[in-house]
Amino acid sequence: MQFYRSSLFHCVEKNGSIQGEYYADGLLVINEGKVLEIGDYDVLCHQFPQEVLQKKLQNFPHHLIIPGLIDAHVHYPQYKVIASFGKTLLQWLNDYTFVEEQKFHQEDYAKHIAELFFTELLRNGTTTAMSFCTSHSQSVEAFFDIAQKYGMRMLGGKMMMDSHAPESLCDSVESSYNQSKKLIEKWHNKNRLLYSVSPRFALTSSSSQLSMAARLMREYNGGSQAKDGVRMQTHLNENTDEISRAKELYSQYENYFDIYDKHHLSGENSVFGHCIYCENEEFKRMAESGSKIALCPTSNLFLGSGLFNMQRLDEHNIPYAIASDVGGGDSFSLFKAMNEAYKIGALQGYKLDSIKALYLCTLGASKVLNLEHCLGNFEKGKEADFVALNLQATPLIYERIQPDQTIEELLFTLITLGDDRLVDKVYLLGEEIKIQ
Ligand code: GUN
Ligand code: ZN
């Protein structure tokens, strides 16, 4: 057993409403990598033999411990695409991203970048992510190999793209099916890893390829437990030029989402990135089908894609998360993503409160990935991935935090001023991970 005494915060849902639970002087008890207890130190400490507690207790006097952050939409091969100047989505893909992604046929390069990627995630307090790989199987092997080495709960999959892209990145319906199947058999549900079927977007997948992606999802749907099934990730309604092109290529469909929906790619294991420009009809069908959304604020601002609207998502009751979308996103820090989400809301008269923001990167994100049974907060029995944030990380943060602040105010300070510097220690299944 391990005992952590610290300020503790996590989100819970009670009667469908999001609530924060805060323990100013809390105790988190971990047993065999899972959460055993959480509560006030003064109350909980009596439940354990004093000699055990005193021997094993770790104190964090200037910290706030929160659940590990979850990034529901990221591209690990774009580690070095970050900070590419001056292009909007389609040009950015052609000029920077497709060029970099071609390097991932070399497994050594893929492993090198995967190593850097996971280190950077952990440095930022992100303990789980759903990532695209490239269309090369080698890139997926490298991704899962390194994730397994760190013991992280990770989701990812081979990018499917068979049209309108450089030839060296394109697969075919058949090769994509065979390679994905092999990777699923090897990696899906192995230790903490899960596979995500990953058609890039409608612009680079033929209709037959989208149908094949749905076939894979059917074949590995997890039987009666969707949480055991493969996930699906793609992009939707991110940029106005992208939408025009999707409608040109698939002119017989009602709207962009309808392309995926009619190809049977919607559902509770499906996560659609961006969703800035969805029509009401699209949101309606997304909600009906149980589909999920990953909002990508840093990316949308960096690429000048547009402003999403969280209120509309709430009205339609669609589960969503806040994600980094590196390398369209310009930071691995989900604190920065929350900060930009707040500003995107503010521009539209909506004030994203700090508890909800944290929820969208923890419990809410676990729901988006259909992992709420094992991740997202400190409920008893969940996997003990957590982060100790240093409340004295910078002089400004130290000075801005007031002793009489509410937890909402404290979290808002961290979201506004925080980044990787906040992250002092990271734990996976209760064990500290040493980050280089
Ligand atoms: N749409 C299709 N591919 C991509 C990608 O790699 N990044 C972003 N932001 N949007 C996409
Ligand atoms: Zn993306």
Short mmCIF file of all heavy atoms in Angstrom, two decimals, residues 213-250:
data_model
loop_
_atom_site.label_atom_id
_atom_site.label_comp_id
_atom_site.label_asym_id
_atom_site.label_seq_id
_atom_site.Cartn_x
_atom_site.Cartn_y
_atom_site.Cartn_z
N ALA A 213 -13.07 0.15 -42.78
CA ALA A 213 -12.80 0.56 -41.39
C ALA A 213 -13.96 0.12 -40.49
O ALA A 213 -13.75 -0.40 -39.38
CB ALA A 213 -12.59 2.06 -41.31
N ALA A 214 -15.17 0.31 -40.99
CA ALA A 214 -16.36 -0.10 -40.20
C ALA A 214 -16.40 -1.62 -40.04
O ALA A 214 -16.82 -2.13 -38.99
CB ALA A 214 -17.62 0.42 -40.89
N ARG A 215 -15.96 -2.32 -41.07
CA ARG A 215 -15.93 -3.78 -40.98
C ARG A 215 -15.00 -4.23 -39.85
O ARG A 215 -15.33 -5.11 -39.05
CB ARG A 215 -15.46 -4.35 -42.33
CG ARG A 215 -15.38 -5.85 -42.35
CD ARG A 215 -14.99 -6.34 -43.74
NE ARG A 215 -14.39 -7.65 -43.65
CZ ARG A 215 -13.58 -8.16 -44.56
NH1 ARG A 215 -13.29 -7.48 -45.66
NH2 ARG A 215 -13.08 -9.35 -44.41
N LEU A 216 -13.83 -3.59 -39.77
CA LEU A 216 -12.90 -3.92 -38.68
C LEU A 216 -13.53 -3.65 -37.32
O LEU A 216 -13.38 -4.42 -36.38
CB LEU A 216 -11.63 -3.06 -38.80
CG LEU A 216 -10.51 -3.58 -39.68
CD1 LEU A 216 -9.39 -2.54 -39.74
CD2 LEU A 216 -9.96 -4.91 -39.17
N MET A 217 -14.24 -2.52 -37.24
CA MET A 217 -14.89 -2.19 -35.96
C MET A 217 -15.93 -3.24 -35.59
O MET A 217 -16.11 -3.57 -34.42
CB MET A 217 -15.53 -0.81 -36.03
CG MET A 217 -14.49 0.28 -36.04
SD MET A 217 -15.21 1.83 -35.59
CE MET A 217 -15.54 1.60 -33.85
N ARG A 218 -16.63 -3.72 -36.59
CA ARG A 218 -17.63 -4.78 -36.33
C ARG A 218 -16.95 -6.06 -35.87
O ARG A 218 -17.39 -6.72 -34.94
CB ARG A 218 -18.41 -5.09 -37.61
CG ARG A 218 -19.74 -4.39 -37.74
CD ARG A 218 -20.64 -5.02 -38.80
NE ARG A 218 -19.99 -5.35 -40.05
CZ ARG A 218 -19.72 -4.46 -41.03
NH1 ARG A 218 -20.05 -3.20 -40.89
NH2 ARG A 218 -19.14 -4.85 -42.15
N GLU A 219 -15.85 -6.37 -36.53
CA GLU A 219 -15.16 -7.62 -36.21
C GLU A 219 -14.51 -7.61 -34.82
O GLU A 219 -14.31 -8.65 -34.22
CB GLU A 219 -14.08 -7.92 -37.27
CG GLU A 219 -14.70 -8.30 -38.60
CD GLU A 219 -13.68 -8.47 -39.72
OE1 GLU A 219 -12.47 -8.30 -39.48
OE2 GLU A 219 -14.11 -8.75 -40.85
N TYR A 220 -14.16 -6.42 -34.36
CA TYR A 220 -13.51 -6.31 -33.03
C TYR A 220 -14.32 -5.38 -32.13
O TYR A 220 -13.78 -4.47 -31.52
CB TYR A 220 -12.07 -5.80 -33.20
CG TYR A 220 -11.19 -6.76 -33.95
CD1 TYR A 220 -10.99 -6.62 -35.33
CD2 TYR A 220 -10.58 -7.85 -33.30
CE1 TYR A 220 -10.20 -7.51 -36.03
CE2 TYR A 220 -9.80 -8.74 -34.00
CZ TYR A 220 -9.60 -8.57 -35.36
OH TYR A 220 -8.82 -9.46 -36.05
N ASN A 221 -15.62 -5.63 -32.06
CA ASN A 221 -16.48 -4.69 -31.32
C ASN A 221 -16.55 -5.00 -29.83
O ASN A 221 -17.26 -4.32 -29.09
CB ASN A 221 -17.88 -4.64 -31.92
CG ASN A 221 -18.62 -5.96 -31.74
OD1 ASN A 221 -18.11 -6.87 -31.07
ND2 ASN A 221 -19.78 -6.07 -32.32
N GLY A 222 -15.84 -6.02 -29.38
CA GLY A 222 -15.81 -6.31 -27.94
C GLY A 222 -16.99 -7.12 -27.45
O GLY A 222 -17.20 -7.22 -26.24
N GLY A 223 -17.77 -7.66 -28.35
CA GLY A 223 -18.93 -8.48 -27.95
C GLY A 223 -19.92 -7.65 -27.16
O GLY A 223 -20.30 -6.56 -27.59
N SER A 224 -20.31 -8.13 -25.99
CA SER A 224 -21.33 -7.40 -25.23
C SER A 224 -20.74 -6.19 -24.49
O SER A 224 -21.48 -5.38 -23.96
CB SER A 224 -21.99 -8.35 -24.23
OG SER A 224 -20.99 -8.85 -23.38
N GLN A 225 -19.42 -6.09 -24.46
CA GLN A 225 -18.78 -4.99 -23.72
C GLN A 225 -18.09 -4.05 -24.71
O GLN A 225 -16.97 -4.33 -25.14
CB GLN A 225 -17.73 -5.55 -22.75
CG GLN A 225 -18.28 -6.42 -21.66
CD GLN A 225 -18.96 -5.60 -20.57
OE1 GLN A 225 -18.84 -4.37 -20.53
NE2 GLN A 225 -19.68 -6.26 -19.69
N ALA A 226 -18.73 -2.92 -25.01
CA ALA A 226 -18.11 -1.98 -25.96
C ALA A 226 -16.74 -1.53 -25.48
O ALA A 226 -15.85 -1.26 -26.28
CB ALA A 226 -19.02 -0.79 -26.17
N LYS A 227 -16.57 -1.48 -24.15
CA LYS A 227 -15.28 -1.01 -23.64
C LYS A 227 -14.13 -1.96 -24.00
O LYS A 227 -12.97 -1.58 -23.93
CB LYS A 227 -15.33 -0.78 -22.14
CG LYS A 227 -15.61 -2.00 -21.29
CD LYS A 227 -15.73 -1.60 -19.83
CE LYS A 227 -16.29 -2.68 -18.94
NZ LYS A 227 -15.50 -3.91 -18.91
N ASP A 228 -14.45 -3.17 -24.38
CA ASP A 228 -13.40 -4.09 -24.84
C ASP A 228 -13.16 -3.99 -26.35
O ASP A 228 -12.26 -4.63 -26.89
CB ASP A 228 -13.77 -5.55 -24.50
CG ASP A 228 -13.82 -5.77 -23.00
OD1 ASP A 228 -13.08 -5.05 -22.29
OD2 ASP A 228 -14.59 -6.62 -22.55
N GLY A 229 -14.01 -3.25 -27.04
CA GLY A 229 -13.90 -3.16 -28.48
C GLY A 229 -12.84 -2.17 -28.94
O GLY A 229 -12.34 -1.38 -28.14
N VAL A 230 -12.50 -2.24 -30.23
CA VAL A 230 -11.58 -1.23 -30.75
C VAL A 230 -12.30 0.11 -30.80
O VAL A 230 -13.53 0.17 -30.92
CB VAL A 230 -11.02 -1.59 -32.15
CG1 VAL A 230 -10.16 -2.84 -32.10
CG2 VAL A 230 -12.13 -1.73 -33.18
N ARG A 231 -11.53 1.18 -30.70
CA ARG A 231 -12.08 2.54 -30.83
C ARG A 231 -11.92 2.99 -32.29
O ARG A 231 -11.24 2.34 -33.09
CB ARG A 231 -11.38 3.52 -29.89
CG ARG A 231 -11.27 3.09 -28.42
CD ARG A 231 -12.56 2.60 -27.83
NE ARG A 231 -12.51 2.60 -26.37
CZ ARG A 231 -12.50 1.51 -25.61
NH1 ARG A 231 -12.53 0.31 -26.15
NH2 ARG A 231 -12.48 1.60 -24.29
N MET A 232 -12.50 4.16 -32.60
CA MET A 232 -12.34 4.75 -33.93
C MET A 232 -12.04 6.23 -33.72
O MET A 232 -12.67 6.87 -32.88
CB MET A 232 -13.64 4.58 -34.73
CG MET A 232 -13.53 4.79 -36.23
SD MET A 232 -13.33 6.48 -36.84
CE MET A 232 -14.81 7.30 -36.27
N GLN A 233 -11.09 6.74 -34.49
CA GLN A 233 -10.80 8.18 -34.42
C GLN A 233 -10.68 8.74 -35.83
O GLN A 233 -10.14 8.09 -36.73
CB GLN A 233 -9.51 8.44 -33.63
CG GLN A 233 -8.29 7.70 -34.16
CD GLN A 233 -7.03 7.96 -33.34
OE1 GLN A 233 -6.97 8.90 -32.55
NE2 GLN A 233 -5.99 7.14 -33.55
N THR A 234 -11.21 9.94 -36.00
CA THR A 234 -11.07 10.63 -37.29
C THR A 234 -11.28 12.13 -37.08
O THR A 234 -11.35 12.60 -35.93
CB THR A 234 -12.03 10.04 -38.33
OG1 THR A 234 -11.70 10.55 -39.63
CG2 THR A 234 -13.49 10.36 -38.05
N HIS A 235 -11.34 12.87 -38.18
CA HIS A 235 -11.52 14.33 -38.13
C HIS A 235 -12.84 14.71 -38.77
O HIS A 235 -13.28 14.07 -39.73
CB HIS A 235 -10.37 15.03 -38.87
CG HIS A 235 -9.02 14.80 -38.25
ND1 HIS A 235 -8.25 13.70 -38.54
CD2 HIS A 235 -8.32 15.53 -37.35
CE1 HIS A 235 -7.12 13.76 -37.84
NE2 HIS A 235 -7.14 14.86 -37.12
N LEU A 236 -13.42 15.80 -38.27
CA LEU A 236 -14.73 16.23 -38.78
C LEU A 236 -14.92 17.73 -38.63
O LEU A 236 -14.71 18.28 -37.53
CB LEU A 236 -15.84 15.49 -37.99
CG LEU A 236 -17.28 15.90 -38.25
CD1 LEU A 236 -17.71 15.50 -39.66
CD2 LEU A 236 -18.22 15.25 -37.22
N ASN A 237 -15.31 18.38 -39.72
CA ASN A 237 -15.72 19.80 -39.66
C ASN A 237 -14.74 20.70 -38.93
O ASN A 237 -15.11 21.43 -38.01
CB ASN A 237 -17.10 19.91 -38.98
CG ASN A 237 -18.23 19.52 -39.91
OD1 ASN A 237 -18.20 19.84 -41.10
ND2 ASN A 237 -19.23 18.83 -39.39
N GLU A 238 -13.48 20.65 -39.41
CA GLU A 238 -12.43 21.44 -38.75
C GLU A 238 -12.20 22.77 -39.44
O GLU A 238 -11.90 23.77 -38.78
CB GLU A 238 -11.13 20.60 -38.75
CG GLU A 238 -9.91 21.32 -38.22
CD GLU A 238 -8.66 20.45 -38.24
OE1 GLU A 238 -8.74 19.30 -38.72
OE2 GLU A 238 -7.61 20.93 -37.78
N ASN A 239 -12.37 22.78 -40.78
CA ASN A 239 -11.91 23.93 -41.56
C ASN A 239 -12.85 24.07 -42.77
O ASN A 239 -13.28 23.06 -43.33
CB ASN A 239 -10.46 23.61 -41.98
CG ASN A 239 -9.92 24.46 -43.08
OD1 ASN A 239 -10.36 24.37 -44.22
ND2 ASN A 239 -8.95 25.28 -42.75
N THR A 240 -13.15 25.30 -43.15
CA THR A 240 -14.18 25.49 -44.18
C THR A 240 -13.76 24.92 -45.55
O THR A 240 -14.60 24.37 -46.27
CB THR A 240 -14.55 26.99 -44.32
OG1 THR A 240 -13.34 27.74 -44.44
CG2 THR A 240 -15.32 27.49 -43.10
N ASP A 241 -12.47 25.01 -45.90
CA ASP A 241 -12.02 24.43 -47.18
C ASP A 241 -12.12 22.90 -47.14
O ASP A 241 -12.46 22.25 -48.13
CB ASP A 241 -10.56 24.81 -47.48
CG ASP A 241 -10.42 26.30 -47.75
OD1 ASP A 241 -11.42 26.93 -48.17
OD2 ASP A 241 -9.32 26.83 -47.53
N GLU A 242 -11.79 22.35 -45.97
CA GLU A 242 -11.89 20.89 -45.80
C GLU A 242 -13.35 20.45 -45.99
O GLU A 242 -13.62 19.44 -46.67
CB GLU A 242 -11.42 20.54 -44.38
CG GLU A 242 -11.67 19.10 -43.94
CD GLU A 242 -12.04 19.00 -42.45
OE1 GLU A 242 -12.37 20.02 -41.81
OE2 GLU A 242 -12.01 17.86 -41.94
N ILE A 243 -14.27 21.21 -45.44
CA ILE A 243 -15.69 20.84 -45.53
C ILE A 243 -16.17 20.90 -46.99
O ILE A 243 -16.85 19.98 -47.47
CB ILE A 243 -16.55 21.75 -44.61
CG1 ILE A 243 -16.13 21.54 -43.15
CG2 ILE A 243 -18.04 21.49 -44.80
CD1 ILE A 243 -16.66 22.59 -42.19
N SER A 244 -15.77 21.96 -47.70
CA SER A 244 -16.17 22.08 -49.11
C SER A 244 -15.67 20.88 -49.90
O SER A 244 -16.39 20.31 -50.73
CB SER A 244 -15.58 23.33 -49.76
OG SER A 244 -15.92 24.45 -49.02
N ARG A 245 -14.41 20.49 -49.62
CA ARG A 245 -13.81 19.36 -50.36
C ARG A 245 -14.53 18.05 -50.01
O ARG A 245 -14.78 17.23 -50.89
CB ARG A 245 -12.33 19.30 -49.97
CG ARG A 245 -11.53 18.31 -50.74
CD ARG A 245 -11.14 18.83 -52.13
NE ARG A 245 -10.42 17.79 -52.86
CZ ARG A 245 -10.84 17.23 -53.99
NH1 ARG A 245 -11.97 17.62 -54.56
NH2 ARG A 245 -10.13 16.29 -54.57
N ALA A 246 -14.87 17.88 -48.75
CA ALA A 246 -15.58 16.65 -48.34
C ALA A 246 -16.93 16.58 -49.06
O ALA A 246 -17.34 15.51 -49.53
CB ALA A 246 -15.78 16.64 -46.82
N LYS A 247 -17.57 17.73 -49.17
CA LYS A 247 -18.89 17.74 -49.82
C LYS A 247 -18.78 17.51 -51.32
O LYS A 247 -19.68 16.96 -51.94
CB LYS A 247 -19.62 19.05 -49.50
CG LYS A 247 -20.10 19.08 -48.04
CD LYS A 247 -20.85 20.33 -47.66
CE LYS A 247 -21.41 20.21 -46.24
NZ LYS A 247 -21.93 21.47 -45.73
N GLU A 248 -17.65 17.96 -51.92
CA GLU A 248 -17.41 17.70 -53.34
C GLU A 248 -17.20 16.20 -53.58
O GLU A 248 -17.77 15.60 -54.49
CB GLU A 248 -16.11 18.38 -53.76
CG GLU A 248 -16.24 19.68 -54.52
CD GLU A 248 -14.86 20.35 -54.59
OE1 GLU A 248 -13.86 19.67 -54.95
OE2 GLU A 248 -14.81 21.54 -54.24
N LEU A 249 -16.35 15.63 -52.73
CA LEU A 249 -15.99 14.21 -52.91
C LEU A 249 -17.15 13.28 -52.60
O LEU A 249 -17.27 12.21 -53.19
CB LEU A 249 -14.80 13.85 -52.01
CG LEU A 249 -13.45 14.45 -52.37
CD1 LEU A 249 -12.44 14.23 -51.24
CD2 LEU A 249 -12.92 13.81 -53.66
N TYR A 250 -17.97 13.68 -51.66
CA TYR A 250 -19.09 12.82 -51.22
C TYR A 250 -20.41 13.60 -51.36
O TYR A 250 -21.13 13.79 -50.39
CB TYR A 250 -18.86 12.39 -49.76
CG TYR A 250 -17.78 11.35 -49.59
CD1 TYR A 250 -16.47 11.72 -49.30
CD2 TYR A 250 -18.05 9.99 -49.71
CE1 TYR A 250 -15.46 10.77 -49.12
CE2 TYR A 250 -17.05 9.03 -49.54
CZ TYR A 250 -15.77 9.42 -49.26
OH TYR A 250 -14.79 8.47 -49.08
#
